């Protein structure tokens, strides 16, 4: 996979960006896992009615070690639930949500060092608990519709060659957009006092670069984030 930096954006821009990642016509499926701590801390929100009830059951059951990596502490979330959770921490007015999450993490001895740089790939293996693990699968080139997806198809110099190469690849190519791993540092201290990300936000991608570039630029336009020279891949 390779990373694509969208710069040090505001919290509102990051929320709009994540929302737009799930709303374009190239998404075929998604897998978002959200920890009960994050859902609980996000509080009462219309999009989290069902998720909130689940979090209360999971955290209050007495059958789960809250300081563990038990899979029962995670919910497979919808796009709307994912966005609602992130908005609670990054969308402004998140002090109460942060206080609830900080208390939960402290209770299991997992309070993060909020001075660490957020969205740091080198630290991802050490994140505990992982609070949000989210990504989307995009249509393969072979499954793009000639009319519905003609914008992406026309962005290629030679689409047929690219499609053949993808179909012939071993192992098979899966086209993905993935958020960075989000833990306590990212949700509690991902933004500075001015409400902007403390480090560049990286979207992880896999697939044909021409295709991904076309889709990502559409996502950025939908999120009202300027497509400028800050965008870099690594």
């Amino acid at each position: 996979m390779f990373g694509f930096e969208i710069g040090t954006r505001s919290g509102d821009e990051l929320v709009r960006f994540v929302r737009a990642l799930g709303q374009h016509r190239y998404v075929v499926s998604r897998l978002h896992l959200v920890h009960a701590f994050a859902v609980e801390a996000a509080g009462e929100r219309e999009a989290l009615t069902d998720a909130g009830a689940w979090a209360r059951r999971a955290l209050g059951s007495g059958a789960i070690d809250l300081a563990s990596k038990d899979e029962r502490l995670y919910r497979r979330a919808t796009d709307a639930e994912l966005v609602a959770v992130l908005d609670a921490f990054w969308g402004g007015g998140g002090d109460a949500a942060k206080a609830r999450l900080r208390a939960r993490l402290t209770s299991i001895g997992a309070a993060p060092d909020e001075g660490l740089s957020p969205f740091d790939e080198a630290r991802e293996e050490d994140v505990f608990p992982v609070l949000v693990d989210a990504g989307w699968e995009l249509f393969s080139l072979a499954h793009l519709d000639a009319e519905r997806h003609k914008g992406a198809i026309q962005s290629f110099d030679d689409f047929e060659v690219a499609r053949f190469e993808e179909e012939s690849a071993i192992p098979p190519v899966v086209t993905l957009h993935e958020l960075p791993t989000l833990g306590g540092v990212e949700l509690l201290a991902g933004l500075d006092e001015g409400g902007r990300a403390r480090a560049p936000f990286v979207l992880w991608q896999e697939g044909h670069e021409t295709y991904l570039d076309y889709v990502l630029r559409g996502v950025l336009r939908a999120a009202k984030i300027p497509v400028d020279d800050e965008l870099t891949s690594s």
Side-chain angles (χ1 to χ4, degrees), residues 148-205:
R148 179 171 171 76
H149 303 127
K150 63 181 180 182
I153 293 171
Q154 292 173 355
S155 71
F156 285 84
D157 292 332
D158 193 328
F159 177 74
E160 293 303 322
V161 169
R163 183 172 68 176
F164 174 77
E165 290 176 345
E166 181 186 85
E167 291 177 323
S168 304
I170 299 175
V173 173
V174 180
T175 304
L176 301 172
H177 277 156
E178 291 188 3
L179 299 187
T181 298
L182 304 180
V185 172
E186 287 72 29
L187 297 190
L188 295 177
L191 308 182
D192 62 22
E193 293 182 356
R196 297 186 69 82
R198 293 174 46 236
F201 189 90
V202 179
L203 178 71
W204 293 100
Q205 305 185 99

Side-chain angles (χ1 to χ4, degrees), residues 201-221:
F201 189 90
V202 179
L203 178 71
W204 293 100
Q205 305 185 99
E206 186 165 333
H208 196 290
E209 291 191 38
T210 297
Y211 179 26
L212 291 168
D213 180 75
Y214 176 85
V215 173
L216 181 56
R217 289 178 182 277
V219 167
L220 291 167
R221 285 193 294 271

Side-chain angles (χ1 to χ4, degrees), residues 12-97:
D12 286 337
E13 286 177 316
L14 292 181
V15 172
R16 294 202 305 267
F17 178 65
V18 174
R19 181 183 291 113
L21 283 169
Q23 292 182 335
H24 60 78
R25 69 188 68 183
Y26 297 91
V27 171
V28 66
S29 66
R30 68 269 294 149
L31 178 58
H32 311 319
L33 299 177
V34 180
H35 197 284
F37 285 176
V39 174
E40 176 197 50
E44 299 294 329
R45 289 170 173 256
E46 183 177 354
L48 294 177
T49 299
D50 292 341
W54 161 80
R56 289 189 292 274
R57 291 194 300 272
L59 297 176
S61 70
I64 305 174
D65 178 0
L66 302 187
S68 72
K69 297 181 179 180
D70 195 309
E71 293 180 357
R72 292 173 292 177
L73 288 169
Y74 290 89
R75 175 182 174 87
R76 184 164 180 163
T78 65
D79 284 340
E81 289 169 341
L82 171 66
V83 169
V85 167
L86 296 182
D87 185 58
F89 296 96
W90 294 345
D95 289 347

Side-chain angles (χ1 to χ4, degrees), residues 93-176:
D95 289 347
K98 291 177 181 178
R100 288 189 289 266
L101 178 58
R102 189 176 289 108
R104 277 293 190 183
L105 294 176
T106 300
S107 74
I108 64 167
D113 178 350
E114 296 181 25
L116 292 173
S117 179
F119 318 122
D120 182 356
E121 177 192 9
R123 198 174 45 80
E124 288 190 352
E125 294 296 324
D126 299 324
V127 173
F128 176 78
V130 173
L131 297 173
V132 176
D133 183 6
W136 297 260
E137 181 180 348
L138 279 59
F139 283 105
S140 66
L141 298 183
H143 288 89
L144 294 181
D145 181 86
E147 184 58 34
R148 179 171 171 76
H149 303 127
K150 63 181 180 182
I153 293 171
Q154 292 173 355
S155 71
F156 285 84
D157 292 332
D158 193 328
F159 177 74
E160 293 303 322
V161 169
R163 183 172 68 176
F164 174 77
E165 290 176 345
E166 181 186 85
E167 291 177 323
S168 304
I170 299 175
V173 173
V174 180
T175 304
L176 301 172

